[in-house]
């Protein structure tokens, strides 16, 4: 059973930075996609960034590209999201997710809402004030 535990959320002023962490356990091998998703009140959950565990290839949503960096420490089984130049519109519950790499890759396959084959963490709140 895959287990994911997020930490590192909090409140910050616009322009500030936060780093989210996700401790992962319960899976083996390198054919996994991992990613960060977020959901703001009244909105659907959306992809933020994803990384393929085997190669480290990444993909970012347009709204965060250039500001956020997703990374992994395989020795520690930990996924990170470094968030810089935060904006009020980044306010959301952030979720860590993991799943086997589908035939069409971490993007768009794993990223897609239509892909149910994801394990989820419990979420960590990020609030950015103006």
């Amino acid at each position: 059973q895959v287990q994911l535990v997020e930490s590192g959320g909090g409140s910050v002023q616009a322009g500030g930075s936060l780093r989210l962490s996700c401790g992962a356990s319960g899976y083996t091998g390198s054919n996994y996609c991992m990613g960060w998703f977020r959901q703001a009140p009244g909105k659907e959950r959306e992809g933020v960034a994803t990384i393929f565990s085997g190669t480290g290839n990444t993909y970012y949503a347009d709204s965060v590209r250039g500001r956020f960096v997703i990374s992994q420490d395989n020795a520690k089984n930990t996924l990170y999201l470094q968030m810089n130049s935060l904006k009020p519109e980044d306010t959301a519950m952030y979720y860590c997710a993991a799943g086997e790499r589908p035939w069409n890759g971490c993007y768009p396959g794993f990223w897609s809402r239509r892909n149910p084959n994801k394990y989820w963490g419990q979420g960590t709140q990020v609030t950015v004030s103006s």
Side-chain angles (χ1 to χ4, degrees):
Q1 180 72 18
V2 175
Q3 292 188 322
L4 304 169
V5 180
E6 302 100 332
S7 60
S11 297
V12 65
Q13 288 194 326
S17 298
L18 283 173
R19 188 176 80 155
L20 306 183
S21 299
C22 173
S25 62
Y27 66 87
T28 59
S30 59
N31 195 43
Y32 264 79
C33 300
M34 297 197 73
W36 291 96
F37 296 75
R38 67 186 182 187
Q39 188 167 18
K43 294 188 177 181
E44 291 188 337
R45 191 172 298 188
E46 63 177 2
V48 175
T50 185
I51 187 168
F52 177 47
S53 60
T55 62
N57 286 348
T58 59
Y59 180 84
Y60 296 90
D62 289 344
S63 59
V64 307
R65 189 174 292 118
R67 299 188 296 124
F68 291 9
V69 178
I70 187 171
S71 62
Q72 59 185 3
D73 184 333
N74 289 334
K76 296 181 179 179
N77 288 332
T78 302
L79 179 74
Y80 301 100
L81 184 69
Q82 178 66 44
M83 305 185 294
N84 300 321
S85 301
L86 282 161
K87 304 176 180 180
E89 51 263 45
D90 295 318
T91 295
M93 185 71 78
Y94 282 70
Y95 298 90
C96 173
E100 284 199 26
R101 182 183 181 276
W103 67 271
N104 52 349
C106 296
Y107 183 85
F110 171 76
W111 185 279
S112 172
R113 289 195 193 98
R114 289 191 291 272
N115 175 16
N117 299 318
K118 297 184 185 72
Y119 297 95
W120 294 98
Q122 82 287 354
T124 186
Q125 178 68 38
V126 171
T127 302
V128 184
S129 58
S130 57

